[in-house]
Amino acid sequence: MAAETRIDFLSGKFLVDAREAYAWMRANAPVYLDESNNVWGVATYDGVVAVERDPTTFSSAGGSRAETGPLPWMIDMDGDAHTKRRRLVSRGFTPARVRAMEPKITAICDDLINAVCERGACDVVADLAAPLPMVVIGDMLGVEPADRAAVLGWSNEMLASLSGDDEGLARAAAGFAAYNEYAENQIARRRAQPTDDLFSVLVHAEVDGAALTDFEIVFESLLLLIGGDETTRQVTSGGLEQLALHPDQRTALAADAAAMPGAVEEMLRWVSPIKTMARTVTHDVELSGVSLPAGAKLVLLYAAANFDPAHFEHPDVFDITRTPNDHVAFGFGAHYCLGASLARMEVRTMVDRVLQRLPDLAFASDTRPRTITGIQRMPVVFTPTERVR
């Protein structure tokens, strides 16, 4: 096999379906140098966790994307700088705050299903999976309902940069310009009149006695938006896809609510919505028997780690009863996803409501196009059902 000749850690097209290459890496070169980009990749579970456990050697301050360098948001920071920035918004994601949101999230799910249930057909991505997290994180940020569609569109455009091609970069630039203008207006409004949302928290926050700049607020709000929106959409649509492909597991899950938490963990492992995060090596070090020089760029291949047969039994089998299931879909260590509890609740609630209200949901097409941001369209059909109040 010539998988090694196709490995390009900066190519979105490669990352869409890299399992064969990841398997080759784990067996032959668990720490591999992509010479075309001068970027190393770590493909094993143990390797990824080892890097995450040592932020002093493997720094985030060089940028979470190997090709861009650092940006002014918390994921591109280490130590106290990261902790202080994260603390500004963390109270919005505490377990108690997330639990309190469950009735609202359930109501949003039912409203979305109400909009399609009588038709007997919908697109899971556009009608269910994408709107839910946009409404939730949008409300937390203070996005007006009338602006949600535009903000979601800009988010999608900005992620087009992950494709690595010129067209994607151009779309991302246009999306960022539009979002930046929108965010600047929100910042000005919150500065004049504080509100109870995360935009306002960022506007009026201080770190070591200094307020955040508008540029920093734009990026932190963007991180919350993309982190709270795109990843949850991917897991919801990818999880529902797997249940449609495995009707025995779907039936079992619909009959046993206690199985839902485990099912969500398997959906997270299977989809692995965050494909890579970059680290910068701060001094010469050996990782999995490979010598890495100071200054080397290293990408953590979470999707590869989550399918490592040395850690997961039969990793290529989707199994909602898998236990233990200590995947790294949310990262590991200091940069563990701030919104993990919220994402779990959103996925769990939407999947449960679909199973209960659209029990015979089936694919309307054999085509489910994918990009690095997951399934783009998933048309389905089902027996029409009544709306609920």
Side-chain angles (χ1 to χ4, degrees):
M1 170 182 167
E4 66 274 24
T5 65
R6 303 198 309 272
I7 293 178
D8 178 351
F9 296 134
L10 305 187
S11 167
K13 291 180 180 179
F14 166 76
L15 294 171
V16 171
D17 185 17
R19 286 192 189 175
E20 185 180 3
Y22 290 158
W24 180 91
M25 287 179 61
R26 289 190 299 262
N28 299 281
V31 179
Y32 174 87
L33 176 61
D34 165 11
E35 294 184 355
S36 64
N37 295 302
N38 196 29
V39 174
W40 296 83
V42 186
T44 64
Y45 183 95
D46 288 346
V48 167
V49 170
V51 171
E52 294 276 47
R53 282 179 168 156
D54 187 1
T56 301
T57 301
F58 303 100
S59 171
S60 298
S64 54
R65 299 296 305 167
E67 67 272 32
T68 62
L71 295 170
W73 51 21
M74 70 181 80
I75 56 171
D76 289 1
M77 298 177 182
D78 290 324
D80 287 346
H82 167 257
T83 300
K84 291 174 182 178
R85 190 69 72 86
R86 183 181 174 108
R87 193 177 292 146
L88 297 179
V89 294
S90 61
R91 69 174 181 267
F93 298 90
T94 63
R97 289 287 292 269
V98 171
R99 284 194 299 272
M101 294 177 67
E102 185 167 12
K104 177 180 178 179
I105 291 173
T106 300
I108 295 169
C109 291
D110 277 331
D111 285 345
L112 293 170
I113 295 173
N114 279 346
V116 301
C117 64
E118 295 175 327
R119 300 197 324 234
C122 75
D123 183 321
V124 164
V125 180
D127 295 322
L128 304 177
L132 170 62
M134 181 65 249
V135 172
V136 173
I137 194 62
D139 284 356
M140 293 177 73
L141 280 166
V143 174
E144 295 291 336
D147 295 332
R148 288 171 184 161
V151 172
L152 178 59
W154 299 329
S155 172
N156 290 336
E157 291 298 295
M158 282 182 273
L159 288 175
S161 67
L162 298 176
S163 67
D165 57 36
D166 291 342
E167 180 184 353
L169 293 172
R171 288 173 54 199
F176 178 76
Y179 178 76
N180 183 71
E181 180 179 358
Y182 167 83
E184 290 280 3
N185 289 333
Q186 298 303 309
I187 291 167
R189 290 174 57 191
R190 301 311 192 282
R191 192 164 280 134
Q193 186 173 358
T195 55
D196 184 23
D197 56 47
L198 292 178
F199 251 122
S200 194
V201 167
L202 291 169
V203 167
H204 296 281
E206 291 188 353
V207 176
D208 295 332
L212 300 183
T213 66
D214 285 8
F215 195 55
E216 290 170 329
I217 296 169
V218 168
F219 271 89
E220 289 295 3
S221 67
L222 182 58
L223 177 63
L224 293 170
L225 171 66
I226 293 176
D229 174 29
E230 296 291 340
T231 54
T232 304
R233 171 184 63 79
Q234 289 187 49
V235 177
T236 302
S237 55
L240 288 170
E241 177 192 43
Q242 289 305 308
L243 292 179
L245 291 169
H246 299 85
D248 55 333
Q249 296 191 55
R250 178 174 65 181
T251 299
L253 184 58
D256 181 11
M260 185 62 76
V264 170
E265 296 310 307
E266 181 68 344
M267 293 172 190
L268 285 161
R269 183 192 73 87
W270 189 268
V271 175
S272 296
I274 302 299
K275 300 298 186 277
T276 70
M277 281 286 178
R279 300 291 184 263
T280 303
V281 179
T282 60
H283 59 82
D284 293 354
V285 69
E286 185 175 289
L287 177 65
S288 302
V290 175
S291 295
L292 299 175
K297 288 292 186 180
L298 182 73
V299 289
L300 308 181
L301 303 170
Y302 297 118
N306 281 337
F307 284 79
D308 187 347
H311 192 83
F312 297 97
E313 186 175 359
H314 305 304
D316 292 320
V317 175
F318 180 80
D319 180 6
I320 63 171
T321 66
R322 182 182 299 278
T323 185
N325 195 352
D326 51 343
H327 58 77
V328 289
F330 286 127
F332 190 92
H335 284 275
Y336 184 79
C337 177
L338 180 65
S341 295
L342 179 59
R344 284 184 168 106
M345 176 174 285
E346 291 179 55
V347 175
R348 181 177 74 243
T349 306
M350 178 58 84
V351 171
D352 175 70
R353 299 310 293 149
V354 168
L355 291 178
Q356 300 306 318
R357 296 190 55 193
L358 310 175
D360 62 350
L361 180 147
F363 298 129
S365 168
D366 293 333
T367 302
R368 295 181 294 281
R370 285 170 163 79
T371 70
I372 192 173
T373 58
I375 302 170
Q376 300 301 294
R377 295 186 301 279
M378 194 166 95
V380 296
V381 293
F382 45 83
T383 300
T385 60
E386 295 182 356
R387 297 162 57 92
V388 300
R389 294 183 182 273

